[in-house]
Amino acid sequence: MVHEHIEVVVADGDPKLTALRRDSRCLFLAFDTAPPFAGMQVRAQATLVSRGVRAARAEIGARYLGEESGRRWAAERTRPGVIVRLPRSAARTWDLGAMLAPYLGE
């Protein structure tokens, strides 16, 4: 399933959340530090959403840890949080795997 937004949960009290509440312009960057060295950058206005945080944590956890482990991971996150929602249309992605394959012995 492809979502219209990229969602990140930020715990209450995190300085990033304080900054986003003051100015919602955001630059989000995530990348692999191991092959294939793929990544994503999103520069956009963030929308802060306080409802559905538990479900968002469970969905994010399931994506990376599997359904059961993701649900357990989300249940352990008891600190309240906020969903930082960014439009997928603003994302730039890259994957250096093919370019670096000859150097990585692949």
Side-chain angles (χ1 to χ4, degrees), residues 87-101:
R88 181 177 290 279
S89 61
R92 284 186 336 124
T93 61
W94 65 88
D95 182 343
L96 303 179
M99 182 177 77
L100 297 174

Side-chain angles (χ1 to χ4, degrees), residues 5-10 17 20-21 23-26 44-50 82-87:
H5 299 95
I6 296 157
E7 295 184 337
V8 179
V9 176
V10 178
L17 197 51
L20 285 169
R21 284 184 172 133
D23 182 352
S24 65
R25 290 176 297 172
C26 177
Q45 295 285 132
T47 302
L48 304 180
V49 181
S50 55
V82 173
I83 300 168
V84 177
R85 186 173 286 160
L86 302 165

Side-chain angles (χ1 to χ4, degrees), residues 60-71 73-74:
I60 292 166
R63 182 174 298 130
Y64 294 100
L65 303 171
E67 197 69 38
E68 186 177 324
S69 294
R71 194 174 21 250
W73 174 85

